[in-house]
Amino acid sequence: MQPNDLRVHPKELEFLKQYWDIMLPSYEDGACFFVTDLNTVTFKSKHKFDIPGLDVGTQYSQNGVAAQVIQARRIHTLQIDRNVYGVRVFAIGGPVWNDSDSEILGAWVLAMPRQHKLVNAFDSFAPVLADLLPEGGVLYVADKEKIIKRQASKKFDIPEMQVNTPLPNESIAIQSQKQKKLIAQEMDASFYGLPTMVTASPLIVESGEIVGSFGLTLPRHLANDLKGIASSLDQGLSGVSASVQQITAATNDVSGSQSHLHEEIQRVKEHLENINKVMGFIKEIADETKMLGLNAAIEAARVGEAGRGFGVVAEEIRKLSEESKKTVSQIRDLTGQIDKSVTETSSASESTLAVVEETSAAIQEVNATIEELTSIAGKLTQTAAKL
């Protein structure tokens, strides 16, 4: 005999009533068992779940399970949408036959809520989770049409998202159900007054049917602030990097000019040495000329009146020799001073060149640090985007 062929008579019905009175408390999500005649409810037992408006003595719906099993004259199962009782319901029922199985006297029905496990647990975990979020957030559960549960944090709330708020077809919650996957989307401040991250994931029951979605809306103050800081840091570092590059180029030019100046100073020192050599040669000539003039004067004095004119010339030659020696001495003093200045300039040039080289090395280190900071700024931007 197949399950659909099983028939319940008044005597078995009494057993069923007692049986479900005992068994209903074992249903974690609750259940409701009731019996009808052809018009009204004659018996009802429930645990944690009730069918509103269905009480002993009331007329049952002509579209309900009891009416359907009486019409079908067999055991019947039915999935009842959330819109009917505020929760998805699985119901099974069958007719009650007279003892001769010739006439149906009524029906028996077992109805059980069939909510997703996450929906059942929502009231337990959502308040805790909402306040654990760093910036707060709004958690919600939706069926295929509207929000059925919500939990806002103390730090953040969206007043327009309330239980029974209809979901637009383009909403993330509905799209996650249609696409059968998790969807996350950044929303600008035009939606909720500040930037947010909205996510939704479909709720799938054991049969594989999608019955709703679980969503989370998070404020993005921290992420946006980090993005702004990273952007400002990146722009600032880019400007500093450009300036450092210009300074590096200028330092390299100064270094090249300083090297050239140092070389020219060395050449000047060589020229001064050559001048001193020439001055030494001129002095020797002047000394010899003086001696020649002195000898000529002596010879002129020896010959008497005839050598007077030659003596005058010899005296002038001697005077000219003396003046040449004085001039050479003065020139040597000047070249000495020039050599001293050149030496000091050369020393200063060498120091400047060393400072320029050290500055260039320091700038290169600064440039490397800036590149590292720029890389960190990029990573900071990526991290902010993932928050």
Side-chain angles (χ1 to χ4, degrees):
M1 179 179 293
Q2 298 300 317
N4 286 346
D5 295 331
L6 293 174
R7 295 198 171 191
V8 174
H9 305 91
K11 58 184 179 181
E12 287 93 18
L13 187 59
E14 292 303 316
F15 169 77
L16 284 179
K17 292 177 182 179
Q18 296 175 22
Y19 175 80
W20 287 115
D21 269 339
I22 297 172
M23 291 301 298
L24 288 182
S26 66
Y27 283 74
E28 181 181 356
D29 297 331
C32 178
F33 178 79
F34 64 93
V35 178
T36 73
D37 56 20
L38 297 179
N39 294 298
T40 61
V41 177
T42 60
F43 174 82
K44 180 180 178 182
S45 181
K46 63 181 182 178
H47 172 68
K48 294 174 62 175
F49 171 69
D50 194 8
I51 298 177
L54 190 70
D55 297 313
V56 174
T58 62
Q59 188 172 5
Y60 56 85
S61 171
Q62 296 304 306
N63 297 320
V65 182
Q68 290 187 42
V69 298
I70 290 173
Q71 183 178 0
R73 302 175 68 83
R74 60 181 178 82
I75 293 177
H76 189 67
T77 60
L78 184 66
Q79 298 282 353
I80 303 174
D81 192 79
R82 178 181 298 276
N83 293 331
V84 179
Y85 301 124
V87 63
R88 291 173 55 251
V89 174
F90 171 77
I92 182 171
V96 178
W97 296 88
N98 63 5
D99 293 337
S100 62
D101 290 338
S102 60
E103 184 181 355
I104 292 178
L105 305 177
W108 59 268
V109 176
L110 174 66
M112 298 163 286
R114 279 292 182 265
Q115 294 204 106
H116 193 279
K117 296 297 183 184
L118 185 143
V119 178
N120 289 335
F122 187 87
D123 293 337
S124 298
F125 76 82
V128 178
L129 179 58
D131 287 324
L132 283 176
L133 297 170
E135 296 181 86
V138 177
L139 295 80
Y140 66 91
V141 176
D143 60 15
K144 295 182 178 181
E145 298 178 354
K146 62 184 181 300
I147 295 174
I148 61 173
K149 285 182 177 290
R150 74 176 307 265
Q151 177 65 53
S153 66
K154 297 176 182 177
K155 299 177 184 177
F156 175 72
D157 193 5
I158 302 176
E160 56 266 37
M161 290 180 60
Q162 298 293 334
V163 173
N164 294 323
T165 298
L167 295 174
N169 189 56
E170 66 275 10
S171 68
I172 299 298
I174 296 297
Q175 291 304 312
S176 72
Q177 297 175 33
K178 289 182 177 180
Q179 299 181 33
K180 300 180 180 181
K181 66 178 183 180
L182 171 69
I183 295 180
Q185 184 174 337
E186 294 274 1
M187 312 292 281
D188 60 37
S190 63
F191 287 87
Y192 302 120
L194 75 168
T196 54
M197 167 67 80
V198 180
T199 63
S201 181
L203 298 180
I204 304 173
V205 295
E206 294 82 355
S207 63
E209 179 188 2
I210 294 177
V211 296
S213 54
F214 170 70
L216 178 61
T217 302
L218 299 173
R220 300 283 283 168
H221 278 307
L222 179 59
N224 277 354
D225 289 346
L226 285 176
K227 284 182 180 179
I229 293 171
S231 177
S232 299
L233 179 61
D234 184 59
Q235 292 177 4
L237 289 174
S238 296
V240 171
S241 179
S243 299
V244 169
Q245 289 178 359
Q246 292 177 354
I247 293 172
T248 301
T251 303
N252 290 336
D253 291 342
V254 171
S255 178
S257 299
Q258 195 67 34
S259 298
H260 181 70
L261 175 62
H262 186 70
E263 292 174 358
E264 291 300 321
I265 290 173
Q266 296 303 316
R267 291 193 182 95
V268 170
K269 290 187 69 175
E270 292 176 0
H271 293 329
L272 286 173
E273 290 176 0
N274 291 333
I275 290 173
N276 284 330
K277 290 179 181 178
V278 172
M279 289 300 101
F281 180 66
I282 292 173
K283 180 178 180 299
E284 290 177 0
I285 293 175
D287 289 339
E288 291 180 4
T289 303
K290 180 180 179 182
M291 290 300 298
L292 289 173
L294 181 62
N295 291 334
I298 293 172
E299 292 298 326
R302 183 180 298 172
V303 297
E305 188 65 26
R308 186 186 299 269
F310 185 74
V312 172
V313 172
E315 181 63 20
E316 291 298 323
I317 291 172
R318 188 178 64 79
K319 290 180 180 179
L320 179 61
S321 173
E322 288 291 336
E323 291 296 327
S324 297
K325 287 180 65 178
K326 291 179 180 179
T327 301
V328 167
S329 177
Q330 291 174 352
I331 292 174
R332 278 190 169 175
D333 289 341
L334 290 174
T335 56
Q337 294 175 9
I338 293 172
D339 183 63
K340 181 179 179 182
S341 297
V342 169
T343 300
E344 292 175 353
T345 303
S346 178
S347 177
S349 175
E350 290 177 354
S351 299
T352 302
L353 184 60
V355 170
V356 169
E357 291 175 348
E358 290 177 1
T359 302
S360 179
I363 289 174
Q364 290 179 359
E365 291 180 3
V366 170
N367 204 31
T369 302
I370 290 173
E371 289 179 358
E372 184 177 354
L373 289 174
T374 302
S375 175
I376 293 172
K379 293 178 180 179
L380 182 61
T381 301
Q382 295 174 1
T383 301
K386 295 176 181 177
L387 288 177

